Structures are given as structure tokens and as C-alpha cells.
Amino acid sequence: RDFLSWTAENVFASVALYQRDGLDLTGHGQPVRVQTAYVTPEFFQTLDVRPLLGRLPRPDEFTPGAPRPLVLSYGFWQQQFGGAPEAVGRGVRIGGFPATIVGVLPKGMEFPRDVQMWYPYRGAANPSNMAPDNFIFYSLARQRADRTLDQTRAQLAALAVPVEREFPAKRRGVTVTAVPLRDWMVGEQLTRTLWVLL
């Protein structure tokens, strides 16, 4: 619900949702447990990531019933497929569903951390996902060039006010803000520790 509001109000240059999951990959040697992330169509655009090999999921592949495309991390591609270019286009099964490997990301692209495979999130049309207290997703955004971080935070706070009024029991005290990615990944505690060591 919040994500759609941010999109409609043009808060960010681009914004995406993602969530981690652990699934079994079969159809290629021995079954293996894979750390995956399902993402909305804007995910790779927001990170400004291009594939090393193959392609990224197309917009039509984010709709229910479409063939399921998989994008591999560089490390997983090397580990499980020996870095073979022929891995792109290969059919496998992920979490019991048929899927096709469509691309490999460049070395060093590991977001969220330790994720080995990305695939499209297809549940945006599910009414349960519109609940005002559905906080199961992470959001990632690219700030607009004509906005400061404080301006972005102010708009997010303003958009949260009517939602809290409409759903006081579920949204009272809920804060919506924007945190620079580096700060979120490093964290205040690590920053303080590094200063002490310095």
C-alpha cells in the first residue's frame, strides 16, 4: 500500500520492493538450497545493475502465469554451473516451479547480502498485500535528483499521516522514513566501533 502511494506521488526517481527466501533448486545435478530474493520490476533499475550475461526479467514476466525467469549471482553461476555461458537458457526448477535461467549479474553485485538468485515477485495484485500493517517487504529507492534527503523524508511523513488516520489501531506510531543505503547496511553500531578503533 505504501509502495503504491510512493509511486503514485512520484516520491522517488525509482522505488522497488524485495524479500528474501530460501528455496530448493533442482533439475541441475544434486538439489541445492539457494538464498533467493523475489523483487518487483523496478529492483534492478533502482540499483542501476546490468547483466554480465543474458538479460534481466522483462515486465511481462512479473505477471502470474508467465514463465519464471531466474537471474544468478556471479558466485553462484561459477559454483554451480562452472561459469558456463550455456547456463543461460537452461531450464531448472526452483521451489518446485519450472523456471529458466535468463541472466547472470556482474561479480560483486550481492544485494541483499548473500543472495544467490533473483526472480520476479508476482503478488502485487493480491488484496492481502494491501493491508495497512503488511510490513513483510523491504523497499529500496533511488532519490530524485531535484530533492534532498530531508525533502524526501518530509514527503514520506506527510503521506503516512492520512493512512494513520484511516487505520489508527494498525498504524499509530508507525514511522516512515528514508535512510541512505550505506548507513542502513553499515549501521550506527559499526560506525561507532570504527571511530573508537581509529
Side-chain angles (χ1 to χ4, degrees):
R1 182 187 181 99
D2 296 282
F3 168 72
L4 294 177
S5 173
W6 303 335
T7 302
E9 297 296 329
N10 199 27
V11 178
F12 300 104
S14 62
V15 58
L17 298 179
Y18 67 93
Q19 182 56 277
R20 300 174 64 110
D21 200 1
L23 297 173
D24 292 327
L25 177 72
T26 57
H28 171 71
Q30 293 296 317
V32 60
R33 191 72 171 175
V34 183
Q35 292 302 310
T36 69
Y38 50 93
V39 302
T40 58
E42 308 84 3
F43 180 81
F44 297 106
Q45 170 196 343
T46 301
L47 286 173
D48 194 23
V49 173
R50 293 169 180 79
L52 172 70
L53 195 67
R55 63 175 179 84
L56 299 175
R58 299 186 306 262
D60 61 288
E61 291 173 322
F62 286 81
T63 57
R68 191 178 301 264
L70 303 176
V71 177
L72 307 182
S73 72
Y74 182 90
F76 188 75
W77 174 54
Q78 292 288 327
Q79 176 189 355
Q80 293 295 322
F81 297 91
E86 297 79 22
V88 174
R90 181 174 186 134
V92 293
R93 296 184 74 85
I94 186 73
F97 293 97
T100 302
I101 297 169
V102 299
V104 177
L105 295 188
K107 189 175 184 178
M109 167 51 198
E110 297 177 358
F111 184 85
R113 187 171 294 153
D114 299 327
V115 165
Q116 301 164 300
M117 183 182 297
W118 296 260
Y119 63 96
Y121 170 63
R122 297 174 169 179
N126 187 335
S128 67
N129 289 334
M130 294 296 287
D133 57 348
N134 180 8
F135 301 127
I136 66 169
F137 298 99
Y138 291 93
S139 55
L140 175 74
R142 183 171 290 274
Q143 187 169 286
R144 284 174 42 176
D146 61 343
R147 293 275 180 86
T148 66
L149 181 58
D150 286 341
Q151 288 173 326
T152 300
R153 286 172 169 167
Q155 187 175 9
L156 288 172
L159 289 172
V161 170
V163 182
E164 182 178 351
R165 286 180 184 152
E166 186 177 356
F167 304 99
K170 295 181 177 181
R171 293 297 292 258
R172 182 176 291 114
V174 173
T175 301
V176 180
T177 191
V179 178
L181 183 59
R182 182 181 300 171
D183 294 353
W184 182 79
M185 292 185 73
V186 172
E188 183 179 338
Q189 183 175 356
L190 180 57
T191 302
R192 186 182 304 115
T193 302
L194 291 174
W195 274 110
V196 170
L197 289 172
L198 182 63

